[in-house]
Amino acid sequence: MDPHLHQCENFRFDNGSYGATPLANGMIFEESNTPPYDEHDIDYPRRKIETIDIGVSVKPEIVSFRDLTCQRVEWKKPRDDIILAPFKYIKSLPSKGVRDVLIDALDVWLQIPEGSLNIIKKVVDLLHTSSLMFDDIEDNSALRRGKPTAHTVFGVGQTINSSTYILISSIAEAQKLANKDCVSIVTEEVSNMLLGQSIDLHTTYVVACPREDEYLNMVDNKTGALFRMAYKLIQAESKVSSLPDLDPLMVLLGRYFQIRDDYVNLVSEEYASQKGVYEDLDEGKFSFPLIHCLFSPPPIPSCSGVAPQLELQNIFMSRSRGSEGHGHCLSREMKLHILEILNSTGSLEFTKLALEQLDRDLQSELTRVEQMTGFENPGFRLLVKKLKI
């Protein structure tokens, strides 16, 4: 038999003829007026086909549409090394491990099995890493912990894909916990986190400075969600008969964490080396110091005679239109000018004082819980101390 002769299915064209159609490797069906097989006939007739010589070696094979049906197909899960690459890249970067420390500290009071504790750590870590990849894309960040962000290495599309895959993986991991309410806890707090992020993105996009209460509500959801989730998951797995209410402690921790981040973004050289110089200003975010400045009454004119609040508002409007600097990034000179404005309104000092007050509130709430449970928590106190500026 000629090695170039192949068997294939016969089928009908729109013009009424049967047979000819191009296939892979340059193969074509032989034109024929022979009608196709009867659909009730269990023997599938086959027609010979010829190949067009395109310089590719083609091995004799049986081509059958029947081979493509579900009767012959075995589904195989694709490899995951590609989709996990952005996630593993972010995981390889240095981390303070704040959330693991928090979970261990909460376990002092709630006392759950070690297996459940490790699963909860994994769930929170997966969601935290997923949120970092999403955040860097949404903020168009260039650096994460002193290294290029995942989307600048692997591309935006693949990083979104990886982040979504990790988010789904966290829910699958939560299903391993004994209390079946844990999956609902995860999905609820993920929803809260996304709602909080939506407010942050919205105020930045439309250049609308939120009031302090609106900002705190955003923080309680965007930043506080993971802290609250960790507490709720441990609480759900706990067998302790009298569980303390830790919601106020988690709210205070989330607020301290975010406002601290806002502050060090503007004053810390170490932070600048990790995330970029005054990155929040490039992103146009209304951080805590900026909100204080823009809502500080009465307006205090600068040396130019213009109220600093008006200057700051116009700078952010110009940034949103890309009319200052390259693209939407602010020049270093403009950033330094903004810092001068924040200093002139006392906004940086106000932020520092707010952090000191939050630290006292945290210490007070921590003492209350220790007294209620009868257990001191040196791990939690150490965590708060490490966060202190």
Side-chain angles (χ1 to χ4, degrees), residues 137-193:
I137 292 171
E138 291 165 346
D139 296 337
N140 197 27
S141 299
L143 294 176
R144 166 66 61 181
R145 298 167 185 166
K147 298 291 183 181
T149 47
H151 67 277
T152 62
V153 176
F154 299 94
V156 172
Q158 190 64 268
T159 304
I160 290 174
N161 203 36
S162 178
S163 185
T164 306
Y165 182 77
I166 295 304
L167 191 154
I168 298 300
S169 298
S170 72
I171 297 174
E173 196 69 22
Q175 291 177 326
K176 299 176 183 178
L177 293 166
N179 192 323
K180 299 308 175 187
D181 291 337
C182 288
V183 173
S184 296
I185 291 171
V186 171
T187 55
E188 179 185 6
E189 292 301 343
V190 168
S191 296
N192 290 334
M193 186 165 55

Side-chain angles (χ1 to χ4, degrees), residues 269-283:
E269 292 182 5
E270 179 185 358
Y271 191 96
S273 68
Q274 296 290 313
K275 287 281 289 174
V277 180
Y278 315 132
E279 186 198 36
D280 281 355
L281 299 180
D282 280 332
E283 295 169 5

Side-chain angles (χ1 to χ4, degrees), residues 282 324-326 329-336:
D282 280 332
E324 200 288 327
H326 301 284
C329 292
L330 299 174
S331 66
R332 182 176 181 84
E333 292 75 17
M334 185 63 78
K335 291 176 184 178
L336 292 175

Side-chain angles (χ1 to χ4, degrees), residues 18-55:
Y18 296 91
T21 188
L23 291 176
N25 298 324
M27 295 187 295
I28 60 169
F29 277 109
E30 179 185 7
E31 186 96 19
S32 170
N33 288 321
T34 305
Y37 61 86
D38 181 67
E39 63 181 355
H40 301 295
D41 189 349
I42 61 172
D43 293 325
Y44 288 75
R46 306 184 180 199
R47 301 284 299 172
K48 293 180 179 180
I49 61 173
E50 297 179 354
T51 63
I52 300 173
D53 186 4
I54 56 174

Side-chain angles (χ1 to χ4, degrees), residues 81-145:
D81 59 314
I82 295 175
I83 199 169
L84 288 177
F87 166 74
K88 289 182 176 179
Y89 172 78
I90 291 294
K91 284 292 295 173
S92 71
L93 304 180
S95 173
K96 297 184 183 69
V98 169
R99 287 152 191 85
D100 279 356
V101 174
L102 171 65
I103 291 170
D104 285 332
L106 292 173
D107 189 49
V108 170
W109 294 317
L110 302 177
Q111 302 171 16
I112 66 173
E114 184 179 358
S116 296
L117 196 71
N118 290 333
I119 291 173
I120 291 171
K121 284 182 179 180
K122 186 172 182 180
V123 169
V124 173
D125 179 66
L126 288 171
L127 284 171
H128 175 55
T129 309
S130 173
S131 71
L132 293 182
M133 291 190 282
F134 275 132
D135 282 351
D136 286 341
I137 292 171
E138 291 165 346
D139 296 337
N140 197 27
S141 299
L143 294 176
R144 166 66 61 181
R145 298 167 185 166

